[in-house]
């Protein structure tokens, strides 16, 4: 164990980097969760819980009309981690099925890591969950370890609203949509829970979720549509992306906590970051985008999409699968509700330039 701890400290200490002319010279390497040693996994879990122990940041400023976002007001007694969740809640109609989907979530995962570093002394690197390795048996995946030290926890207690009762997050309380403990409920069927809008082009509603995010599907997406950002995003966002959300149920599935309902809780993907699995999942989504960008030179800096989501106007998805006009461009500012520094789309298209400095293993 002593040697393991020394190795882990060595691994995380070499990821310091410098930047020359806007490009980093020694990027951090994001690795799959199961490739981390126990101390590295524990450090990530503890850093997330650290953010959940810090007070609410009063500088957060929601920008979306609550009649569109359908979320409760800010809770001043919440935590900084809850603030991170709230940005996803407030901006949900701007960042799903619009051109912001991939750039925003890329920056969002980075914002979590930045917060852990600056506020909690985290010196590791954001990992990802490669769910393609688990499609044969999600329920028994080793990712869902019961270990209180370095485990993400398994499935919640069905007799207690599926709240986690194992793993590092079993006692973590989140503020939205109402205060409760993190929930996770294995859900293979149906494809979409009640109240969740069904996008065009997804698998049949009778499909088992595990079949929607296989390595074959991901490989097809990565190797297809060179230079066609719109087709790539639509294939990813409405293809393998929703499956891991919904198979985990609970927070990730957008299911209201027991006993809550309108107006405090309207089902949907808004508060899915309550489960820290969200950030491992979206790091994997970002990895697929990264791999597509690396696959062909025509993919590296291409971007397109609009600002109007089918969540607001369902008729636009056929003509504008990544958002209807007004159109975005690389100079468009990625919204943050004031929780992180202003950044443009162009500054997050390259993971080793502009705002970012990482690659994927």
């Amino acid at each position: 164990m002593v040697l393991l701890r020394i190795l882990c400290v060595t691994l995380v200490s070499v990821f310091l980097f410098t930047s020359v002319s806007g490009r980093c010279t020694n990027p951090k390497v994001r690795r799959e969760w199961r490739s981390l040693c126990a101390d590295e996994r524990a450090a990530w879990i503890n850093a997330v819980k650290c953010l959940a122990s810090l007070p609410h940041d009063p500088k957060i400023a929601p920008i979306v009309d609550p009649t569109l976002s359908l979320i409760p007001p800010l809770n001043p007694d919440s935590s900084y981690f809850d603030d991170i969740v709230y940005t996803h809640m407030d901006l949900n109609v701007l960042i799903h099925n619009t051109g912001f989907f991939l750039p925003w979530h890329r920056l969002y995962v980075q914002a979590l890591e930045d917060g852990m570093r600056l506020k909690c002394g985290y010196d590791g690197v954001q990992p990802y969950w490669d769910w393609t390795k688990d499609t044969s048996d999600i329920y028994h995946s080793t990712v869902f370890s019961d270990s209180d030290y370095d485990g993400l926890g398994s499935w919640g207690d069905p007799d207690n609203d599926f709240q986690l009762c194992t793993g590092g997050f079993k006692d973590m309380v989140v503020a939205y949509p109402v205060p409760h403990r993190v929930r996770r409920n294995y859900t293979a069927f149906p494809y979409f829970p009640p109240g969740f809008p069904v996008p065009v082009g997804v698998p049949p509603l009778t499909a088992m979720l595990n079949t929607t995010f296989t390595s074959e599907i991901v490989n097809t997406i990565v190797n297809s549509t060179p230079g066609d950002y719109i087709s790539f995003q639509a294939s990813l966002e409405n293809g393998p992306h929703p499956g891991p959300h919904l198979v985990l149920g609970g927070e990730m599935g957008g299911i209201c906590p027991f006993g809550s309902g309108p107006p405090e809780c309207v089902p949907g993907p808004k508060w899915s970051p309550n489960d820290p699995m969200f950030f491992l999942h979206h790091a994997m989504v970002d990895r697929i985008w990264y791999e597509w960008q690396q696959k062909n030179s025509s993919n590296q800096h291409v971007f397109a999409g609009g600002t109007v989501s089918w969540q607001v106007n369902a008729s636009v998805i056929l003509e504008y699968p990544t958002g209807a006009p007004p159109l975005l461009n690389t100079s468009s500012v990625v919204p943050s509700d004031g929780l992180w520094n202003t950044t443009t789309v162009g500054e997050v298209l390259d993971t080793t330039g502009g705002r970012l400095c990482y690659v994927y293993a």
Side-chain angles (χ1 to χ4, degrees):
M1 178 60 75
V2 173
L3 288 176
L4 182 61
R5 290 179 183 274
I6 293 173
L7 175 61
C8 288
V9 170
T10 302
L11 284 172
V12 298
S13 66
V14 299
F15 292 127
L16 299 175
F17 63 92
T18 57
S19 178
V20 178
S21 301
R23 296 191 63 82
C24 62
T25 58
N26 190 15
K28 296 171 288 181
V29 180
R30 291 184 174 181
R31 295 179 290 144
E32 211 272 338
W33 178 258
R34 284 161 287 203
S35 74
L36 307 183
C37 65
D39 283 2
E40 289 173 308
R41 293 192 296 266
W44 186 83
I45 290 170
N46 289 332
V48 172
K49 291 195 293 186
C50 169
L51 293 180
S53 72
L54 300 178
H56 160 70
D57 188 338
K59 74 180 180 184
I60 184 173
I63 62 173
V64 176
D65 186 333
T67 63
L68 292 178
S69 61
L70 300 179
I71 60 173
L74 272 168
N75 179 353
D77 296 322
S78 62
S79 72
Y80 184 79
F81 181 80
D82 293 320
D83 289 340
I84 294 175
V85 173
Y86 200 86
T87 61
H88 189 271
M89 293 170 60
D90 178 53
L91 301 171
N92 76 91
V93 297
L94 302 182
I95 59 176
H96 297 117
N97 295 98
T98 72
F100 276 133
F101 175 71
L102 289 172
W104 191 89
H105 285 86
R106 172 172 281 181
L107 185 58
Y108 190 53
V109 174
Q110 183 63 51
L112 176 83
E113 181 178 333
D114 290 345
M116 294 192 299
R117 289 178 180 279
L118 296 173
K119 296 177 179 292
C120 297
Y122 178 63
D123 60 0
V125 183
Q126 172 64 37
Y128 63 92
W129 169 33
D130 184 352
W131 21 256
T132 67
K133 297 179 181 295
D134 299 306
T135 52
S136 62
D137 189 0
I138 289 284
Y139 189 85
H140 294 104
S141 170
T142 56
V143 166
F144 304 109
S145 166
D146 289 338
S147 169
D148 290 347
Y149 178 68
D150 67 332
L152 296 168
S154 57
W155 308 102
D157 180 358
D159 296 323
N160 193 20
D161 197 24
F162 296 97
Q163 295 179 19
L164 296 184
C165 51
T166 64
F169 298 113
K170 66 180 180 181
D171 297 318
M172 185 169 164
V173 176
V174 289
Y176 301 109
V178 295
H180 66 284
R181 282 168 48 198
V182 175
R183 300 162 301 131
R184 193 179 300 152
N185 174 22
Y186 177 73
T187 308
F189 303 98
Y191 191 80
F192 286 98
F196 201 103
V198 180
V200 173
V202 301
L205 299 184
T206 57
M208 188 173 184
L209 283 171
N210 299 29
T211 67
T212 67
F213 48 93
T214 63
S215 58
E216 292 78 12
I217 290 174
V218 169
N219 288 337
T220 297
I221 292 173
V222 169
N223 289 289
S224 301
T225 65
D228 185 351
Y229 180 91
I230 290 178
S231 294
F232 168 76
Q233 180 188 310
S235 297
L236 176 57
E237 184 178 7
N238 295 328
H241 159 251
H245 272 281
L246 301 177
V247 77
L248 267 61
E251 315 301 333
M252 287 279 281
I255 308 300
C256 291
F258 180 76
S260 67
E264 292 85 3
C265 182
V266 177
K270 298 177 278 291
W271 60 86
S272 52
N274 276 339
D275 187 342
M277 287 296 301
F278 174 98
F279 296 95
L280 299 176
H281 165 52
H282 267 278
M284 176 62 180
V285 172
D286 183 60
R287 178 175 178 252
I288 296 171
W289 183 22
Y290 168 87
E291 291 181 339
W292 183 78
Q293 289 179 308
Q294 300 300 308
K295 193 71 179 180
N296 191 298
S297 60
S298 64
N299 299 343
Q300 291 177 359
H301 299 286
V302 66
F303 173 77
T307 57
V308 178
S309 168
W310 58 261
Q311 292 185 80
V312 176
N313 183 352
S315 66
V316 308
I317 191 171
L318 292 176
E319 187 175 0
Y320 302 103
T322 60
L327 298 179
L328 299 167
N329 56 54
T330 56
S331 297
S332 298
V333 175
V334 183
S336 67
D337 279 357
L339 207 59
W340 57 79
N341 293 336
T342 298
T343 306
T344 66
V345 169
E347 291 175 298
V348 297
L349 291 182
D350 184 352
T351 67
T352 59
R355 171 75 166 74
L356 307 170
C357 190
Y358 65 86
V359 294
Y360 283 98

